[in-house]
Amino acid sequence: MSAQGAVLVLNAGSSSLKYQLVHPDSGEVVADGIAERIGDRASSITHEQDGRTETDEVSLPDHRAAIERALEFFRAHGTELADAGLAAVGHRVVHGGRSFYEPTVITPEVIAEIERISPLAPLHNPANLVGISAARELLPDVPSVAVFDTAFFHGLPDAAATYAIDRAVAEEHALRRYGFHGTSHDYVSGQVARFLDCPIGEINQIVLHLGNGASASAIAGGAPIDTSMGMTPLEGLVMGTRSGDIDPGLVLHLHRAAGLSVDEIDTLLNKQSGLRGLCGENDFRTITEQIEAGDADARRAYDVYIHRLRRYVGAYLVELGRVDAIAFTAGVGENAASVRADALAGLEHYGIVVDPDRNAVRSREARRISPDDTEVAVLVVPTNEELAIARQSSAVVG
Ligand code: AMP
């Protein structure tokens, strides 16, 4: 498959790099891959193209080395990316702060601004920047575009975006609710409208992005009016390793009474909490097996997860007033039928019903899991952040 007009989508994490070469119009994927444990001696890179999967256990000291190795894989498949006529390199950037709310062609000024707002996302934005620099160096003639995870939520109503804290402090430090996973919420809500064959401006929906990270959003006529993640991706739902909502007093207590440093609390809440903190495991498949084997910790972790999810569904039902669709997406949302059933159990009164037979069907297509005649369409809609980034990148470079 030719790479002419395709977009190379890069998602650079602190020690990983995911990439996909995709045609923005057709959605055809030419290749994808992932480099893991970058900077570690035991790094590896896996590349999938032409129906073949190749893994290379090779030292990748930095993101530049990972991209170089990916380019070699492409070369071995007959694609020289530097002169293949790519439309763009599309970068996922986690935090756009108050500066960025549209896909943005990357220039030195844009890089400087992403750097300036990096304190808002110290774990994510610096890694994204490393990926941007490396790609610009290795593919200098291909335009680079940044697509921000916060962008979709830029227009959140003030009441939903504002923390009830001292206004001057909030202003000085840009403290507000930004929301994340925006590319996914945007894409999935668009797919919901397509599935229902209804203009997006006419429907109200709740999107539940349940992956290792998890977030919910309330979208009225295509515009988000609330979302569960806040200033950082730590707020909101119970996640694989993140706590989601907690009493901020708990942070103060951990510091004052338990003597934990800020970095230790950061690690505790981001990496050792959520499902993993509750039962030692963050993969839903394993947790489900453990529950079936009678594991009480796994059961409690599941119950806390569902309790929080239902709390957000309830809040968004009230905020939206009328809900036409509820969509489940991402790893857990697309695959864990029990989560979908339990999240919406007992809501028949609101026109929300999950049909057990439909819910049990496994498919990679968007599908309805509520009966045809209920008021609210409950859907499973696979997300595709790479394709969404490719489309936005290609559109902005014209
Ligand atoms: P994501 O972040 O969207 O890639 O989702 C990753 C998570 O999805 C994993 O940590 C699993 O917990 C969950 N997951 C993936 N496949 C399944 C499955 N077949 N059943 C239940 N959970 C799944």
Side-chain angles (χ1 to χ4, degrees):
M1 201 188 306
S2 158
Q4 174 82 32
V7 174
L8 179 66
V9 178
L10 293 184
N11 182 354
S14 55
S15 64
S16 70
L17 175 89
K18 286 190 213 152
Y19 59 91
Q20 187 176 96
L21 185 64
V22 58
H23 283 280
D25 295 333
S26 64
E28 272 177 295
V29 175
V30 181
D32 59 18
I34 180 167
E36 293 173 287
R37 294 182 298 279
I38 294 171
D40 195 290
R41 246 181 288 153
S43 42
S44 69
I45 180 165
T46 298
H47 183 91
E48 236 181 291
Q49 188 170 358
D50 302 329
R52 260 191 298 148
T53 304
E54 296 148 272
T55 298
D56 204 355
E57 313 274 343
V58 61
S59 162
L60 299 168
D62 50 31
H63 287 73
R64 188 182 192 283
I67 297 176
E68 269 186 317
R69 185 65 194 91
L71 296 183
E72 279 169 27
F73 273 123
F74 279 108
R75 209 167 285 134
H77 283 264
T79 320
E80 183 60 65
L81 283 196
D83 42 46
L86 297 190
V89 181
H91 294 270
R92 177 181 183 221
V93 180
V94 168
H95 216 308
R98 286 184 289 198
S99 315
F100 299 110
Y101 45 91
E102 273 172 352
T104 305
V105 176
I106 296 171
T107 60
E109 293 74 33
V110 168
I111 292 177
E113 183 60 13
I114 297 175
E115 232 157 43
R116 196 187 65 77
I117 58 177
S118 275
L120 289 171
L123 299 178
H124 297 104
N125 274 29
N128 302 153
L129 280 169
V130 172
I132 288 173
S133 304
R136 275 166 60 87
E137 210 184 309
L138 293 166
L139 299 168
D141 298 326
V142 186
S144 297
V145 178
V147 176
F148 298 89
D149 232 25
T150 47
F152 183 58
F153 298 113
H154 173 73
L156 276 188
D158 231 23
T162 305
Y163 287 115
I165 56 172
D166 184 284
R167 291 308 304 143
V169 175
E171 268 305 312
E172 186 184 348
H173 298 284
L175 310 181
R176 54 160 272 165
R177 305 189 63 253
Y178 291 94
F180 297 85
H181 289 154
T183 306
S184 178
H185 286 273
D186 184 12
Y187 177 82
V188 169
S189 56
Q191 294 297 107
V192 167
R194 273 183 69 164
F195 185 90
L196 297 177
D197 198 16
C198 193
I200 193 161
E202 290 176 14
I203 52 174
N204 287 350
Q205 46 181 315
I206 297 174
V207 174
L208 302 169
H209 175 112
L210 310 176
N212 202 23
S215 59
S217 67
I219 304 174
I225 61 161
D226 208 348
T227 191
S228 59
M229 285 177 166
M231 157 94 182
T232 75
L234 190 50
E235 190 178 335
L237 301 176
V238 175
M239 311 183 210
T241 64
R242 294 186 206 134
S243 62
D245 297 335
I246 50 163
D247 176 354
L250 188 148
V251 174
L252 309 179
H253 181 81
L254 282 173
H255 181 61
R256 287 202 193 107
L260 266 64
S261 70
V262 169
D263 286 343
E264 285 168 333
I265 298 172
D266 189 332
T267 303
L268 177 79
L269 296 179
N270 274 298
K271 305 220 165 112
Q272 299 163 354
S273 295
L275 295 168
R276 183 183 289 166
L278 289 167
C279 71
E281 179 55 60
N282 62 300
D283 194 303
F284 242 97
R285 286 160 285 202
T286 317
I287 292 174
T288 309
E289 285 165 22
Q290 288 171 338
I291 292 172
E292 279 161 13
D295 186 319
D297 288 342
R299 180 79 241 174
R300 187 205 282 116
Y302 183 86
D303 291 345
V304 175
Y305 182 96
I306 295 292
H307 177 84
R308 184 84 50 87
L309 190 53
R310 289 173 64 85
R311 182 194 277 179
Y312 273 92
V313 170
Y316 292 171
L317 282 174
V318 171
E319 286 188 43
L320 288 165
R322 186 201 83 226
V323 173
D324 304 295
I326 299 178
F328 288 90
T329 192
V332 177
E334 291 168 32
N335 294 295
S338 67
V339 168
R340 298 191 296 255
D342 292 336
L344 302 180
L347 303 180
E348 297 79 6
H349 199 65
Y350 299 92
I352 300 170
V353 178
V354 173
D355 177 89
D357 294 330
R358 288 187 171 185
N359 192 28
V361 172
R362 298 190 65 84
S363 159
R364 303 192 78 163
E365 302 295 317
R367 59 199 183 275
R368 183 177 179 122
I369 57 169
S370 53
D372 289 330
D373 58 353
T374 47
E375 227 167 288
V376 180
V378 183
L379 308 177
V380 179
V381 177
T383 192
N384 193 338
E385 288 166 283
E386 289 78 13
L387 179 59
I389 291 173
R391 287 190 173 154
Q392 294 184 30
S393 303
S394 137
V396 77
V397 296

